[in-house]
Amino acid sequence: MEDSFLNLVAKDVLGRLTGRLKNCVVIFPNKRPIAYFLDALVQYGVPAEEVPTFYSIEDFINELATTKQVENIDLLFILYKLYLKHYPESDFDEFFGWGNLMLSDFDDIDRYLVDADKLLKNVSAVKDLEKNFMADVFMPEEFLMPLNPDDEHYLENRFRETWQIYAKTYHDLKAELKKQNLAYAGMNYREVAEKLASGAIKPGADTYIFIGFNALSKAEETIIQTLINQNKALIYWDADRYYIDNEREDSGHFIRKHASQLSGYNPQLFTDQLAKARKNIEIIGVPLHVGQAKALGIELKKHLNQANYGSTAIVLADENLLVPVLYALPEETGMLNITSGYPLQMSSLYGIFQACIHLQDNYQPGHHSFYHKDVLAILSHPIVRQTNDNGAKLLTEAIQLNQLIYISETFINGFDSALLNLFFKEISSTAQIDRWFREILAEMANQVTDLESMENKAFKNFDGIINQLAALSKSQDFELSKKTYLRLFKEKVYLSKIPLSEDHPDGIQLMGMLETRCIDFDTVFILSVNEGILPAGNKHHSYIPFDLRKSFGLPTFDEQDNLYAYYFYRLLQRSSQINLIYNSETGSGGEEKSRYIRQIEYFLPKANPNVMITHRFYSLPLKTQTAGKIIIKKEEAYFNALKAKNKTGISPSFISAYYICPLQFLFNKVMNLPEKEEVVEDLEARHFGLLFHALMERSYEGLKGEMLTKEIIEQRKARLVLDMDWVLDKIHKTQKENILQKNSLLVETVKVLAEKTLEADILHAPFKLIDMEVRADYRMPFHLPGFEQIYLKGIIDRIDEKDGITRIVDYKTGAVKSRDFNFRLPETELMKDNKEAFQTIFYGYLYHHANPGVKLQAAIMPLKEVVKGYIKINENDRPFGSNDFMVFEDKLKSILLTILAPEKPVIQAEDQNICAYCSYNNICMR
Ligand code: SF4
């Protein structure tokens, strides 16, 4: 952009300092504009040997200071040791939160050259200055506890006492740091400002050029003024007359103030484009936070053409949108220049560490058990799944099958798997966590083979963090608790970013708000233009009361608002196409649209008739892609998985699943992708079947082979309450009380259903009970032409006998569509409309194979229509004979051949109604 701020500054600087640039130092608020400014100088013909020295302000200060800036976590430990002198009982965890607050206050005190003694010494007088000052102070909860209810002055006294310690600690910390030749950032700012002003530091360069500053701390102001006084500084403000000349505009607050205070050689390059230039502003409301990323993808497509890639910026006011934005960008976006880096906390690998931290947090030391959700979170993690560990698969199945809520270490050890041994153990000390994390990292690293992948880069970051924490633990003369270690680990991960790419200056720029300083674009997309983000709101946490901060010239949240206003309006001043995207869904965790949107809608068109503002909304659902049909060819892996399944036997529900939806069958039965919810703690309707089966089994316990009379069944009915109690104890031992509290109605329903079933049995009595819950006894070989031996299996709920006819009983929790089993229906209709009858007849077929010649009937107890009693599925009540089962056998062959047919691909269900309840509907986008 020809008239960009940095181009204008480059031209002006060249006009003033040609031939002398080499001895100049150029200082920016951050590093990002350096490359742009260098480009501008080269473009205006500055040879490489004439190029000046560049710094960000932070680097410039650190270069002049005599002490080395130290990392915040190291500082915190130094401060903690000093603090222990006053509160020897205090532990690091308690100290952590407000130690950080203390450091932030100390930093401000020095950056703003506040007389610390004056501020900190006369604390008892503060209360007289501001009667209600206590209410203004952000106080960490840990500090306030325990309050002494008998002492009404407790809080006040504790506060005074702590202020005195606060003052001492400030001086102690500085003395300690100096002794070690270390400093926090504010300390270096103060040192450089005071030494420059006193002449103790002699500036070596001819001219210091400060470019693009807005809010200056007192130390920065002193440094610049000192250099101006020595005719050694230029300061270039980047601002527009629209907000500079208008006192009402907060965005001009700092530059108005500093430009008038800093006297001397001070060139002005203000633009007047907000009030004069042609601008197209589109304001776009989108429901939900992530919806903004999707809207961005659509809007980008409309505005992009190859010519404007380099002068287009996507600005994330909330950087948490980075990942959704990366996924939503259209293909034609091309190379991006991403300056913010990929947050380590969003890496897939962090998911494993997070799950491990939760695993330890929820560990039950008394029972040596882990919580099922934490165990499953680890086992279902994509990187862990890649290990193909058999123990992990078996453990997942066991948890789901047995509905285990807490899983004991002994139970897990029974699976004989090195992977399970690695993850599931109690970790009680910092040294153990260190070892544990290293082992996990090493094991998971084996699974990531793409060296260029984000995950591989993430491994290096995690390795670095674990090493840093190990070094930190070693350097302390007290042992870090497990809690502290994990807190520091999370803090470090939160601050780490994986560098995303090399520089692509010709690509679209994707950046945070602060990185936009000094840089101009033709087209900007700003996301999250909402209150609470732009501006951030009243979030200034400090131990120093608001009034004291004000009177000592320390920044408060008022200044923060002015800062955000400047960043926002500055971005608008030279852009011609401005797209402001905001979350229009207030009340769902989102704040309303930013005040800046209201301001520009109301005031800007009055000041500038060339501004076109449109305001539109997206409505839900917002999809970036339309769902395409998924068709998958059956390949070797499919057949291998079926072969593996066949070893334990093919069940009727396995076969039916294919006919409900072949794709769901593939995901669930072949690939074993976990469903959304594997274990339920609350007895949801779809899980009460388990309880019902168990209750029925308990009710008839000890009666196998007996003739059941009405009286016997009545007796069993009378003890249903006790039986239910026994069942709850057996199935949900650790959660029984919880279930009874939360799900008493469902428990009651199961009891009523069992009661009704027993009543139906009374009507059927007398009959002989042959067996119940017959498992895998009928693993039956089945011959399918052209295929290896197939095995069929099933669990028969109940077998009874009356008048020489054996009855197969199946309890069904779902709706039962059809009654009679119609052998003549074609296979697809049979499976669709006669699914329940097919499953029951399947059990009959298994029983017939083991007991040829037996006259068989099959009946369903439909729990949704329990009052109707048993439904016989034999046509005209006629018992099934050998001929019927031969027809069934043919049908079954044809059904199995369909599942195994390589030429028939795996497709999605035609009936989309079932998709709403499918665990994989996010994959199908249905
Ligand atoms: S969402 Fe629908 S089509 Fe996709 S797997 Fe599930 S049931 Fe099948």
Side-chain angles (χ1 to χ4, degrees):
M1 189 191 271
E2 189 52 34
D3 64 346
S4 72
F5 171 64
L6 292 177
N7 278 355
L8 294 177
V9 175
K11 249 193 249 175
D12 193 83
V13 164
L14 280 175
R16 293 167 194 274
L17 300 165
T18 303
R20 291 191 283 144
L21 265 183
K22 197 171 178 287
N23 295 324
C24 293
V25 169
V26 181
I27 301 140
F28 291 98
N30 56 328
K31 285 186 183 144
R32 188 71 197 140
I34 293 175
Y36 286 80
F37 190 63
L38 186 59
D39 274 356
L41 289 179
V42 171
Q43 198 185 306
Y44 290 124
V46 175
E49 60 277 12
E50 281 297 314
V51 166
T53 308
F54 297 102
Y55 286 110
S56 68
I57 182 75
E58 181 119 7
D59 289 348
F60 175 66
I61 298 286
N62 286 337
E63 181 72 20
L64 293 182
T66 52
T67 42
K68 186 173 164 255
Q69 195 180 319
V70 66
E71 257 204 56
N72 208 49
I73 286 181
D74 297 323
L75 265 176
L76 212 55
F77 279 99
I78 298 172
L79 182 66
Y80 174 60
K81 281 178 198 157
L82 297 169
Y83 181 76
L84 280 179
K85 281 200 236 162
H86 307 289
Y87 286 112
E89 302 303 313
S90 163
D91 81 27
F92 187 79
D93 288 324
E94 182 197 295
F95 171 81
F96 188 91
W98 76 283
N100 267 318
L101 203 65
M102 234 178 185
L103 285 177
S104 153
D105 280 347
F106 292 170
D107 193 73
D108 277 352
I109 287 171
D110 284 339
R111 267 181 208 261
Y112 285 81
L113 307 184
V114 168
D115 181 337
D117 287 330
K118 217 169 169 184
L119 174 71
L120 301 171
K121 202 167 59 186
N122 303 315
V123 186
S124 53
V126 172
K127 202 161 185 277
D128 302 330
L129 280 175
E130 171 58 79
K131 226 173 177 198
N132 296 320
F133 79 102
M134 297 290 288
D136 297 328
V137 186
F138 168 81
M139 300 270 283
E141 216 175 279
E142 310 90 286
F143 174 70
L144 297 179
M145 300 301 288
L147 287 177
N148 183 349
D150 301 331
D151 181 359
E152 60 181 88
H153 299 295
Y154 173 83
L155 185 58
E156 202 176 316
N157 293 337
R158 180 79 194 258
F159 189 77
R160 277 208 184 97
E161 184 189 319
T162 303
W163 265 91
Q164 280 153 12
I165 291 166
Y166 205 74
K168 278 187 212 141
T169 311
Y170 168 79
H171 290 296
D172 288 354
L173 176 66
K174 290 185 72 159
E176 179 61 33
L177 288 174
K178 275 199 182 130
K179 213 161 70 188
Q180 299 185 35
N181 220 18
L182 300 172
Y184 50 83
M187 255 175 93
N188 278 350
Y189 273 71
R190 188 193 278 270
E191 185 203 344
V192 172
E194 288 177 350
K195 283 189 174 167
L196 261 177
S198 69
I201 293 179
K202 303 268 182 256
D206 282 355
T207 307
Y208 294 84
I209 307 166
F210 294 87
I211 301 175
F213 284 80
N214 175 43
L216 296 175
S217 65
K218 194 77 192 149
E220 289 164 329
E221 218 180 297
T222 306
I223 292 165
I224 297 170
Q225 186 61 64
T226 306
L227 292 168
I228 288 176
N229 291 346
Q230 296 172 13
N231 281 330
K232 275 182 169 283
L234 289 171
I235 178 158
Y236 288 92
W237 306 107
D238 182 10
D240 192 279
R241 291 252 160 246
Y242 175 79
Y243 51 78
I244 289 296
D245 294 346
N246 187 348
E247 290 283 335
R248 198 191 59 226
E249 291 293 340
D250 294 341
S251 35
H253 169 83
F254 287 113
I255 295 183
R256 272 196 301 272
K257 182 178 122 190
H258 295 312
S260 67
Q261 280 172 357
L262 286 170
S263 52
Y265 197 33
N266 197 352
Q268 312 286 328
L269 291 176
F270 297 157
T271 64
D272 201 4
Q273 297 204 27
L274 274 171
K276 299 220 168 94
R278 191 167 291 281
K279 289 185 189 296
N280 187 26
I281 303 180
E282 294 192 41
I283 300 167
I284 302 156
V286 190
L288 301 177
H289 192 56
V290 178
Q292 298 176 79
K294 295 179 177 176
L296 169 75
I298 298 166
E299 293 298 316
L300 251 183
K301 264 192 161 181
K302 281 198 237 160
H303 290 290
L304 274 187
N305 57 61
Q306 292 284 342
N308 64 10
Y309 276 22
S311 60
T312 298
I314 300 165
V315 181
L316 305 180
D318 175 359
E319 294 189 22
N320 287 323
L321 269 184
L322 176 68
V323 177
V325 161
L326 288 177
Y327 280 105
L329 290 176
E331 266 176 28
E332 43 283 55
T333 309
M335 289 305 232
L336 280 175
N337 198 7
I338 307 169
T339 52
S340 41
Y342 190 93
L344 189 61
Q345 59 174 329
M346 288 183 187
S347 64
S348 173
L349 192 55
Y350 185 51
I352 298 182
F353 284 113
Q354 240 181 342
C356 289
I357 293 171
H358 287 154
L359 184 88
Q360 295 300 328
D361 283 349
N362 296 327
Y363 180 73
Q364 303 277 306
H367 299 101
H368 303 286
S369 298
F370 300 101
Y371 185 51
H372 74 276
K373 284 196 175 159
D374 302 326
V375 175
L376 291 175
I378 293 173
L379 297 181
S380 63
H381 190 283
I383 303 180
V384 178
R385 286 174 63 83
Q386 253 167 266
T387 59
N388 269 325
D389 183 272
N390 198 40
K393 275 186 214 153
L394 293 175
L395 176 59
T396 307
E397 279 169 18
I399 293 171
Q400 290 163 5
L401 187 71
N402 301 307
Q403 296 284 293
L404 301 175
I405 292 169
Y406 281 95
I407 301 111
S408 71
E409 281 182 79
T410 327
F411 184 78
I412 294 175
N413 290 341
F415 285 87
D416 185 28
S417 148
L419 190 82
L420 298 185
N421 291 342
L422 164 67
F423 279 115
F424 304 111
K425 52 189 167 195
E426 185 190 0
I427 301 292
S428 46
S429 71
T430 311
Q432 281 177 340
I433 307 176
D434 177 79
R435 253 198 320 279
W436 189 44
F437 277 6
R438 284 176 197 279
E439 285 165 9
I440 291 172
L441 201 64
E443 181 59 36
M444 294 301 106
N446 293 333
Q447 306 307 319
V448 177
T449 45
D450 179 1
L451 296 181
E452 290 309 308
S453 68
M454 187 71 70
E455 285 314 319
N456 192 49
K457 290 177 187 163
F459 276 107
K460 289 180 190 148
N461 284 40
F462 279 109
D463 194 42
I465 288 174
I466 293 169
N467 286 336
Q468 282 170 28
L469 289 177
L472 190 71
S473 298
K474 233 185 211 168
S475 66
Q476 301 310 314
D477 41 23
F478 62 95
E479 199 186 333
L480 293 189
S481 71
K482 182 175 137 189
K483 192 172 159 195
T484 301
Y485 181 97
L486 294 176
R487 196 168 188 170
L488 296 177
F489 180 80
K490 285 193 248 179
E491 178 100 352
K492 287 220 170 241
V493 172
Y494 179 73
L495 294 173
S496 287
K497 298 214 167 157
I498 306 168
L500 269 179
S501 62
E502 335 70 71
D503 251 8
H504 297 292
D506 298 333
I508 293 174
Q509 310 290 309
L510 178 55
M511 54 209 330
M513 202 72 190
L514 285 180
E515 288 153 344
T516 63
R517 286 176 290 182
C518 303
I519 309 172
D520 295 303
F521 303 94
D522 280 333
T523 304
V524 287
F525 293 85
I526 311 179
L527 278 77
S528 307
V529 190
N530 284 84
E531 285 293 305
I533 299 172
L534 265 181
N538 304 348
K539 287 183 187 159
H540 201 126
H541 288 167
S542 169
Y543 203 64
I544 306 168
F546 181 86
D547 286 335
L548 271 184
R549 290 192 76 95
K550 271 271 178 214
S551 53
F552 277 85
L554 291 170
T556 63
F557 49 74
D558 285 350
E559 277 78 18
Q560 290 233 7
D561 284 0
N562 296 338
L563 260 182
Y564 280 96
Y566 171 73
Y567 298 146
F568 178 78
Y569 278 95
R570 198 210 69 78
L571 254 179
L572 267 50
Q573 66 202 29
R574 287 188 179 82
S575 303
S576 55
Q577 175 64 44
I578 296 146
N579 307 278
L580 306 176
I581 303 178
Y582 69 95
N583 174 6
S584 57
E585 196 92 337
T586 51
S588 59
E591 298 257 14
E592 61 181 299
K593 71 180 171 192
S594 165
R595 69 193 71 171
Y596 304 144
I597 290 182
R598 296 183 206 282
Q599 286 168 10
I600 58 171
E601 279 185 312
Y602 189 74
F603 294 113
L604 206 54
K606 289 184 185 163
N608 183 355
N610 293 319
V611 165
M612 268 277 295
I613 299 182
T614 50
H615 198 151
R616 50 200 171 83
F617 295 89
Y618 276 95
S619 58
L620 281 172
L622 195 61
K623 287 185 177 174
T624 44
Q625 309 155 17
T626 45
K629 270 195 177 169
I630 301 178
I631 299 173
I632 297 172
K633 203 169 161 258
K634 288 174 186 162
E635 287 177 343
E636 207 184 332
Y638 174 89
F639 295 106
N640 288 342
L642 292 191
K643 263 187 209 160
K645 201 87 202 172
N646 186 42
K647 281 187 189 148
T648 53
I650 304 287
S651 69
S653 58
F654 184 82
I655 295 171
S656 308
Y658 184 90
Y659 282 85
I660 295 168
C661 171
L663 187 63
Q664 191 190 59
F665 170 84
L666 176 81
F667 289 153
N668 187 242
K669 308 282 183 194
V670 179
M671 294 165 69
N672 289 319
L673 289 187
E675 295 186 65
K676 277 176 196 160
E677 189 72 58
E678 284 94 354
V679 176
V680 275
E681 287 162 76
D682 296 352
L683 292 177
E684 291 170 12
R686 65 197 172 94
H687 282 83
F688 78 177
L690 177 75
L691 210 52
F692 177 83
H693 279 80
L695 184 56
M696 285 306 298
E697 196 180 355
R698 171 71 178 168
S699 292
Y700 284 142
E701 200 174 56
L703 296 176
K704 270 189 216 170
E706 301 280 318
M707 187 60 83
L708 303 192
T709 60
K710 290 184 191 347
E711 293 70 30
I712 294 176
I713 304 173
E714 285 286 7
Q715 282 165 12
R716 293 298 164 116
K717 193 179 139 202
R719 51 168 241 200
L720 267 179
V721 175
L722 287 175
D723 284 344
M724 176 54 106
D725 201 50
W726 183 91
V727 165
L728 280 175
D729 253 341
K730 191 177 169 219
I731 300 185
H732 292 288
K733 203 171 199 167
T734 52
Q735 297 291 309
K736 185 177 161 193
E737 291 309 314
N738 190 18
I739 286 169
L740 282 172
Q741 261 175 21
K742 287 202 216 156
N743 296 285
S744 56
L745 198 60
L746 265 164
V747 170
E748 210 43 51
T749 308
V750 170
K751 257 189 287 182
V752 170
L753 291 177
E755 202 170 60
K756 296 284 170 207
T757 306
L758 293 180
E759 279 167 14
D761 285 348
I762 291 172
L763 290 179
H764 188 63
F767 60 89
K768 185 177 171 190
L769 179 66
I770 297 179
D771 212 341
M772 286 178 299
E773 302 293 326
V774 188
R775 291 165 193 272
D777 285 1
Y778 300 99
R779 188 171 168 274
M780 170 189 160
F782 186 83
H783 178 65
L784 199 60
F787 288 89
E788 282 175 24
Q789 184 71 70
I790 302 256
Y791 293 99
L792 305 179
K793 70 164 182 188
I795 301 173
I796 303 175
D797 290 343
R798 194 167 102 196
I799 305 163
D800 54 36
E801 188 200 295
K802 185 178 167 105
D803 302 333
I805 296 179
T806 302
R807 186 173 68 157
I808 304 292
V809 173
D810 200 21
Y811 307 128
K812 286 275 176 234
T813 48
V816 177
K817 271 193 196 164
S818 173
R819 279 125 203 235
D820 293 349
F821 183 75
N822 187 343
F823 291 97
R824 289 172 294 279
L825 281 176
E827 81 186 50
T828 38
E829 272 177 59
L830 193 69
M831 299 305 288
K832 222 163 86 190
D833 298 331
N834 230 324
K835 181 169 61 100
E836 295 77 23
F838 166 80
Q839 290 185 3
T840 314
I841 221 63
F842 186 102
Y843 300 134
Y845 175 65
L846 295 182
Y847 191 78
H848 167 80
H849 178 262
N851 305 274
V854 170
K855 286 183 187 169
L856 271 181
Q857 257 188 352
I860 294 173
M861 170 52 81
L863 297 181
K864 282 203 169 158
E865 299 172 293
V866 72
V867 282
K868 291 186 178 169
Y870 290 101
I871 298 171
K872 291 179 194 161
I873 59 170
N874 300 60
E875 268 185 315
N876 305 321
D877 264 4
R878 183 179 58 81
F880 295 129
S882 298
N883 281 347
D884 296 312
F885 287 121
M886 276 163 67
V887 179
F888 179 79
E889 205 167 87
D890 280 349
K891 230 16 126 192
L892 193 55
K893 275 181 188 160
S894 149
I895 288 167
L896 288 170
L897 284 171
T898 302
I899 297 174
L900 292 166
E903 72 284 359
K904 290 191 178 167
V906 175
I907 54 169
Q908 291 165 289
E910 277 171 25
D911 175 9
Q912 294 207 15
N913 288 326
I914 61 165
C915 302
Y917 306 99
C918 173
S919 287
Y920 313 107
N921 52 14
N922 53 344
I923 301 175
C924 293
M925 294 175 75
R926 279 182 166 190

